[in-house]
Amino acid sequence: ERVRVAVVFGGRSSEHAISCVSAGSVLTHLDRDRFEVIPVGISRDGAWVVGPGDPEQLTISGRTLPEVDAGADALVLPGEPGRGLVRLDAGRAGEALADIDVVFPILHGAFGEDGTVQGLLEMAGVPYVGAGVLASAVGMDKEFAKKLLRAEGLDVAEGVVLRPGTDIGFADRDRLGLPLFVKPARAGSSMGVSRVTDPAALDAAIAQARLHDPKVLVEAAVPGREVECAVLEFPDGSVRASLPAGLRYSGEFYDFDSKYLDVSELDIPAKLDDEITESVRWKAITAFRALDVQGLARVDFFVTDEGAITVNEVNTMPGFTASSAFPKMWAVTGLDYPELLTTLVETALRRGTGLR
Ligand code: ATP
Ligand code: MG
Ligand code: MG
Ligand code: MG
């Protein structure tokens, strides 16, 4: 009997389209001999709908990004604001969602990667791929993620948190210098992130970040090249780090376009001394444990030639598109895309829900 996996994607975050593209790859690569796959889209307004069945519809063509269209067949679940707790319209969608063994929430950003969907699934007692409520929430919030990473002895960027309605003071401007990076506390795919070299541009950058989150981080620029490492939990409970990837892109930083639209390249393994490579892998696992992550995480670093290693962030549901680093790092480390997905689903089933 095949395991019934609901692949949930889209959602209410600014990373809606990227989640769709990630889901396109996941739907293509899940082993159909082992899994019965039910695609479940969440529209930008939060309506849940079964389909589309064809992953080809979930790809980027030119500069056009895909989107979930709730259409008439929408199955409304918690998440469509203002529609109450649950309104299950039976029919095809209701049948499809009955008796799901495990959910693969391939959702990035708010209302998906941040513990909210994870909480819903915990309440329902349905196992799911990836981090639980706490780790998802903390991983999404760069303010608290950095606190926990620092408490574990890992280096993170110097910075200041601007709560809603507050502005950066002169002392912090002096301390952090230039260039600065300004980013929403809870977002992803570099949405709302700016590199600021001119003090006159700082206010506009903060306003830009606030379009994604009223809480904003202003950070000193960290020197070094960008390196990522893919951490994976196996069904036996062991946690391993992949070979790291070195990022190459043409712009000033790794922005949205370099991630998904322009040509950017990954060196896997990253061109680092063996000692630095091992240190990155060990720090990736340390970061994973610091945030009490389950399942998987992509840990992003800055690494200098001298071997200074700074953790940038922990992504609990990293990109899974065909060009994404996480599946590529595991492929080079010896686990191909279908095997990676099988591992994720089996680890989720083994873990189950509730306290553990
Ligand atoms: P992701 O898609 O990886 O989830 P994100 O939206 O969470 O990205 P960050 O990874 O924090 O955002 O930042 C995006 C990019 O901005 C980084 O990959 C890096 O190129 C640049 N960047 C961010 N913060 C800094 C910093 N303090 N110093 C140097 N570069 C930075
Ligand atoms: Mg991120
Ligand atoms: Mg992310
Ligand atoms: Mg990042």
Side-chain angles (χ1 to χ4, degrees), residues 15 113 139-140 142 187-190 259 298 300 313-315:
E15 289 182 274
E113 194 178 350
M140 188 86 275
K142 296 181 199 293
S189 292
S190 298
K259 281 175 185 175
R298 198 194 70 225
D300 297 352
E313 60 153 352
V314 177
N315 291 286

Side-chain angles (χ1 to χ4, degrees), residues 15 142 157 181 183 187-191 193 219-222 226 228 247 249 253-255 259-260 298 300 302 312-313 315:
E15 289 182 274
K142 296 181 199 293
F181 277 84
K183 51 177 115 170
S189 292
S190 298
M191 300 260 185
V193 179
E219 293 182 344
V222 179
E226 287 185 65
E228 301 184 339
L247 310 183
Y249 46 85
F253 70 99
Y254 199 38
D255 61 7
K259 281 175 185 175
Y260 306 109
R298 198 194 70 225
D300 297 352
F302 305 101
N312 180 29
E313 60 153 352
N315 291 286

Side-chain angles (χ1 to χ4, degrees), residues 16-64:
H16 178 97
I18 301 309
S19 162
C20 293
V21 184
S22 288
S25 291
V26 169
L27 292 168
T28 303
H29 290 97
L30 269 168
D31 181 351
R32 303 291 166 139
D33 291 336
R34 311 171 73 119
F35 303 122
E36 183 185 342
V37 180
I38 300 99
V40 180
I42 303 178
S43 72
R44 285 187 190 278
D45 356 305
W48 294 46
V49 58
V50 174
D54 176 15
E56 283 296 306
Q57 289 177 262
L58 299 170
T59 48
I60 300 180
S61 63
R63 294 182 78 88
T64 307

